């Protein structure tokens, strides 16, 4: 009896995002499927892309009968920040959430955060 091997949560999303980051143009699910290692069904790739779109992580435009997808965030750090903002936006008690987050920082991370907060904010360039 063979057991199916389940990938850890988020591994496929990370692989799809890496493929999109490496591309110099929007990719369709079929194109993403071609550059991913291993064997994944096109429908699986399309589902992952649709979920990433629903999360606001990728944008999509029509490409014939399909969609072509582009990343909304430019790298892993921006993705983590996007996820943190998404979670924070879900909560009514923003001060409570931020206070609990900060209380769990290591002293090195706390120092880094203080340094970052002391720097002037540079507006992001539109994509």
């Amino acid at each position: 009896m063979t057991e199916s091997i389940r990938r850890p949560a988020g591994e496929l999303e990370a692989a799809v995002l890496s493929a999109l980051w490496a591309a110099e143009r929007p990719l369709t699910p079929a194109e993403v499927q071609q550059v991913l290692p291993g064997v994944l069904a096109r429908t699986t790739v399309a589902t992952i892309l649709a979920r990433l779109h629903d999360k606001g992580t990728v944008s999509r435009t029509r490409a014939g009968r399909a969609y072509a997808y582009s990343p909304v965030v430019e790298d892993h750090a921006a993705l983590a920040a996007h996820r943190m903002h998404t979670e924070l936006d879900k909560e009514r008690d923003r001060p409570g959430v931020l206070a609990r987050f900060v209380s769990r920082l290591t002293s090195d991370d706390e120092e880094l955060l203080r340094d970052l907060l002391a720097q002037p904010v540079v507006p992001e360039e539109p994509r």
Side-chain angles (χ1 to χ4, degrees):
M1 177 171 150
T2 59
E3 294 181 28
S4 68
I5 299 172
R6 279 193 70 84
R7 293 183 170 104
E11 185 179 305
L12 287 177
E13 286 185 2
V16 167
L17 278 170
S18 291
L20 293 175
W21 285 326
E24 297 196 10
R25 61 180 177 76
L27 299 178
T28 64
E31 292 169 325
V32 172
Q33 177 192 24
Q34 290 174 348
V35 299
L36 290 177
V39 180
L40 283 177
R42 189 198 54 76
T43 54
T44 300
V45 175
T47 299
I48 294 165
L49 286 164
R51 288 180 182 162
L52 288 170
H53 179 262
D54 291 345
K55 293 177 181 180
T57 308
V58 299
S59 62
R60 68 184 181 193
T61 55
R62 274 281 178 203
R65 293 178 54 198
Y67 285 106
Y69 294 83
S70 299
V72 172
V73 296
E74 62 273 3
D75 56 26
H76 290 284
L79 176 61
H82 176 79
R83 288 178 177 157
M84 291 166 70
H85 279 284
T86 300
E87 289 303 314
L88 186 58
D89 289 344
K90 291 178 187 176
E91 297 298 326
R92 287 181 162 181
D93 183 14
R94 288 177 80 92
V97 172
L98 287 171
R100 284 192 171 84
F101 175 76
V102 170
S103 72
R104 298 196 60 196
L105 293 175
T106 65
S107 58
D108 289 344
D109 285 343
E110 187 177 328
E111 183 179 338
L112 175 59
L113 183 58
R114 287 181 194 279
D115 291 346
L116 290 169
L117 289 171
Q119 295 176 9
V121 176
V122 178
E124 288 187 19
E125 301 264 336
R127 290 190 101 200

